[in-house]
Amino acid sequence: MGMTKSTKTKGKIKRDGAVDPRRYSRLVVDGAKQTPSRAMLRAVGFTDADFQRPQIGIASTWANLTPCNMHINTLAAQAEAGANAAGGKGVLFNTITVSDGIAMGSPGMRYSLVSREIIADSIETVVGAEGFDGFVAIGGCDKNMPGCAMAIARLNRPAVFVYGGTIRPGAQRRDIVSVFEAVGGHAAGKVSDAELAAVERTAIPGPGSCGGMYTANTMASAIEALGLSLPDSSAQEAVSELKQNDCRRAGEAVVKLVKAGITPSKILIRKAFENAITVTIAVGGSTNAVLHLLAIAHAAGVRLTLDDFTRIGKRVPVLADLRPSGRYAMSELVAIGGIQPLMKRLLDRGLLHGDCLTVTGRTLAENLKNVRDYPRGQKIVYDFDAPIKKDSHLVVMRGSVAPEGAVAKITGKEGLLFSGPTRVFDGEEPATKAILAGKVRAGDIVVIRYEGPRGGPGMREMLSPTGAIMGLGLGDKVALITDGRFSGGSHGFVVGHISPEAMNGGPIALIRNGDHITIDAATRRIDIAVSAAELRRRKKAWKAPKPYATRGVLAKFASSVSSASQGAVTD
């Protein structure tokens, strides 16, 4: 890490006192030996002048298979134009994306978290192989965003992340979660066939990421707080002129970072991750941010643990009344100023580290110096003296069910204590089927296991069962725990990321129907009313089920993935 100085010595990068704005690309395009490289590049449009410029990769996650990413090819072209205008040579390339919203509730969702690793690997591979001096990474869906940030951290070359932007609300302020909850309402007889069809046709009006403070908008906010995005990048609509400008400025900014020798290792320090956690809490963000920030920190070589979320969470309140547990959409926060005024409030309150460097080349405090506060009378962001919750909604729990930790999303609306008998399901599908069939009743704790990083594999999100619970009107009457994870759109009394996972013989694998579990958000405990001796007897008799996949990408992921408590990383 920390590669900011270099010269060329026998074809290798030597770190010394000189800052060269073309320290990587010149190994690819300079000298007689690299004539074949230049010949290949001329075929894709390079000129003599281009070989003298810093080479800037533009990593696009465009795909016409999800609203989140359907517009990113246009944004990537803007970033390329910005890099060229600033004196660089922009070079576009693509990586994959998958759609959580489409795959949700199906076997395809197993590939979602796996795609985070593939995206990080592919960006690292292209940038490393092609010798780019810096790059812009543009993401617009849950896993390609942390995947981009992980690649930025691993490569440690000047880089800027651009968020593809939030979607506008559908008719009657609907969004994707409205659809999932309408399915539950339909099962309960509260939503007619015609009403369900109307929700389906009007909830998703066009390009952009899911419109509440779900995982995409959470990660956009967290990445901006890390300092990897330009100010306001996290709070712009996908189809706005502001987002086009953001992309052009990102291309320009990377060229400046290359010339200044500012690399991600100067930005991604421990204080920056504390800033990201703080902002994630203040906006009421997704539990997935815990998993992804742990993974990005691992890529950056920064020590971050679940305990850091607890430590910071004790002093940071939830201030933004955003969906899913709140009332407002991201586009409504954008309309009153986005997250910059909130960050300014947090900074003034002493809750952010203002001395952290960002991709502007300035510190966070310098970026926020002239930010105006929200307009008077707005109802989305609360004051510190009357917060939505006085401390974090992201509650890290431990106990006899989760010795290595679990993550709950408790806003306070669900209550702080839930105790009851268990209904145990080996996998998401039988659980969702039972919920929709009315077999889960008030007071039950639904246990969904063998959905962890290794056991799933891929740690599927449980939006279908939680959406069904909410749609049936059981949101405050039923709890759900899992070694899988939750969509940012899930709400209710839910606990995920239970570690060790069932596939590794964790206590969640030993729970039986009717066992009594107590979940206490105040003490951060999740315990089973079964003796240690009985659990040992059950463990002795337990056998791991056959793996879901024995070859291919899912098998490779399962063989290398770490615990959710460590970010579910594969390297």
Side-chain angles (χ1 to χ4, degrees):
M1 303 295 286
M3 189 181 293
T4 61
K5 303 170 183 179
S6 65
T7 60
K8 178 175 154 185
T9 303
K10 295 182 179 179
K12 296 183 179 180
I13 299 297
K14 178 184 176 183
R15 303 175 190 185
D16 65 13
V19 176
D20 187 326
R22 295 179 57 246
R23 54 190 175 277
Y24 296 103
S25 63
R26 68 183 188 179
L27 300 180
V28 177
V29 301
D30 282 7
K33 181 174 72 69
Q34 297 307 123
T35 300
S37 303
R38 293 193 299 276
M40 295 283 285
L41 290 168
R42 288 183 189 281
V44 298
F46 272 61
T47 66
D48 286 344
D50 290 333
F51 294 121
Q52 306 304 315
R53 296 171 178 167
Q55 309 294 298
I56 307 299
I58 312 294
S60 168
T61 57
W62 172 83
N64 201 33
L65 53 81
T66 170
C68 309
N69 295 67
M70 62 188 286
H71 62 302
I72 286 180
N73 55 347
T74 302
L75 300 184
Q78 293 293 334
E80 180 187 24
N84 293 342
K89 172 57 179 173
V91 182
L92 267 165
F93 67 95
N94 264 85
T95 182
I96 66 159
T97 194
V98 300
S99 173
D100 289 6
I102 295 171
M104 197 75 70
S106 79
M109 190 63 193
R110 300 180 195 278
Y111 291 90
S112 172
L113 187 59
V114 176
S115 76
R116 184 190 73 178
E117 305 301 300
I118 296 171
I119 291 160
D121 290 350
S122 64
I123 294 174
E124 177 189 353
T125 299
V126 174
V127 172
E130 299 303 312
F132 293 135
D133 300 304
F135 65 103
V136 177
I138 310 173
C141 198
D142 296 9
K143 306 310 164 302
N144 57 54
M145 299 169 67
C148 288
M150 290 163 66
I152 288 171
R154 289 181 193 172
L155 285 156
N156 196 33
R157 302 188 189 191
V160 174
F161 174 78
V162 176
Y163 177 41
T166 188
I167 197 171
R168 289 174 175 168
Q172 300 180 37
R173 300 177 66 245
R174 291 171 178 147
D175 62 14
I176 186 61
V177 175
S178 306
V179 187
F180 280 95
E181 294 184 0
V183 172
H186 184 263
K190 300 175 183 178
V191 176
S192 70
D193 290 348
E195 289 169 333
L196 184 63
V199 172
E200 175 188 332
R201 290 185 172 94
T202 61
I204 314 295
S209 298
C210 299
M213 189 48 70
Y214 311 142
T215 303
N217 282 314
T218 298
M219 289 312 301
S221 303
I223 292 170
E224 182 173 328
L226 278 173
L228 289 182
S229 295
L230 296 176
D232 284 325
S233 184
S234 69
Q236 295 165 338
E237 291 184 334
V239 292
S240 66
E241 182 61 30
L242 287 173
K243 182 51 64 183
Q244 299 280 327
N245 292 337
D246 182 38
C247 293
R248 285 193 293 273
R249 291 188 298 114
E252 295 168 359
V254 171
V255 176
K256 292 178 182 178
L257 292 172
V258 169
K259 292 178 178 178
I262 297 176
T263 54
S265 61
K266 294 185 176 182
I267 295 170
L268 294 176
I269 61 175
R270 183 173 172 81
K271 285 182 178 180
F273 284 94
E274 293 183 345
N275 286 345
I277 294 171
T278 296
V279 169
T280 296
I281 294 169
V283 298
S286 165
T287 53
N288 280 319
V290 179
L291 194 74
H292 296 324
L293 286 172
L294 289 172
I296 298 166
H298 173 80
V302 172
R303 188 175 185 276
L304 196 71
T305 70
L306 289 174
D307 292 334
D308 291 309
F309 289 84
T310 298
R311 174 178 57 82
I312 295 168
K314 291 178 180 178
R315 60 188 179 89
V316 179
V318 179
L319 298 173
D321 189 18
L322 297 168
R323 296 174 182 173
S325 55
R327 295 175 291 172
Y328 296 98
M330 188 66 180
S331 63
E332 292 169 310
L333 179 65
V334 170
I336 65 166
I339 70 162
Q340 286 278 295
L342 175 57
M343 291 175 66
K344 181 68 160 56
R345 289 185 178 188
L346 292 167
L347 178 67
D348 292 344
R349 195 82 172 189
L351 296 174
L352 291 178
H353 302 290
D355 57 341
C356 289
L357 185 64
T358 74
V359 292
T360 64
R362 301 185 298 272
T363 65
L364 182 70
E366 290 170 334
N367 290 343
L368 295 172
K369 183 177 180 180
N370 297 317
V371 170
R372 294 183 178 181
D373 198 15
Y374 294 113
R376 293 183 63 182
Q378 62 82 25
K379 298 179 180 179
I380 301 175
V381 180
Y382 286 45
D383 294 327
F384 285 98
D385 57 359
I388 294 169
K389 191 172 185 288
K390 66 180 179 61
D391 54 8
S392 180
H393 64 302
L394 298 175
V395 180
V396 175
M397 296 183 175
R398 288 187 171 85
S400 57
V401 174
E404 292 179 5
V407 181
K409 186 176 181 180
I410 306 293
T411 65
K413 297 178 181 179
E414 311 84 354
L416 297 175
L417 181 71
F418 200 107
S419 188
T422 58
R423 292 294 310 277
V424 182
F425 301 94
D426 291 347
E428 176 187 3
E429 285 84 357
T432 302
K433 183 178 180 180
I435 293 165
L436 290 173
K439 296 180 180 179
V440 170
R441 298 178 175 86
D444 286 345
I445 295 179
V446 177
V447 179
I448 304 179
R449 63 191 179 192
Y450 297 107
E451 291 288 4
R454 179 168 170 251
M459 207 177 177
R460 288 192 289 179
E461 294 177 344
M462 301 293 119
L463 182 54
S464 289
T466 61
I469 287 170
M470 297 303 295
L472 287 164
L474 295 172
D476 59 347
K477 301 177 181 67
V478 169
L480 190 153
I481 70 172
T482 181
D483 53 3
R485 57 197 174 91
F486 296 106
S487 162
S490 291
H491 55 126
F493 210 108
V494 297
V495 183
H497 305 203
I498 288 178
S499 301
E501 62 173 287
M503 195 67 169
N504 290 337
I508 190 173
L510 312 177
I511 299 171
R512 295 177 179 173
N513 278 321
D515 285 345
H516 201 92
I517 286 178
T518 297
I519 307 165
D520 190 334
T523 61
R524 302 183 183 89
R525 298 284 303 182
I526 178 167
D527 292 295
I528 184 170
V530 173
S531 70
E534 172 61 17
L535 288 176
R536 285 195 295 271
R537 281 192 290 270
R538 293 182 187 181
K539 180 65 179 289
K540 191 173 181 180
W542 173 82
K543 291 183 179 179
K546 292 181 179 179
Y548 181 85
T550 57
R551 63 182 62 191
V553 68
L554 293 180
K556 285 192 286 186
F557 181 85
S559 70
S560 61
V561 70
S562 73
S563 166
S565 63
Q566 299 172 325
V569 297
T570 56
D571 62 333

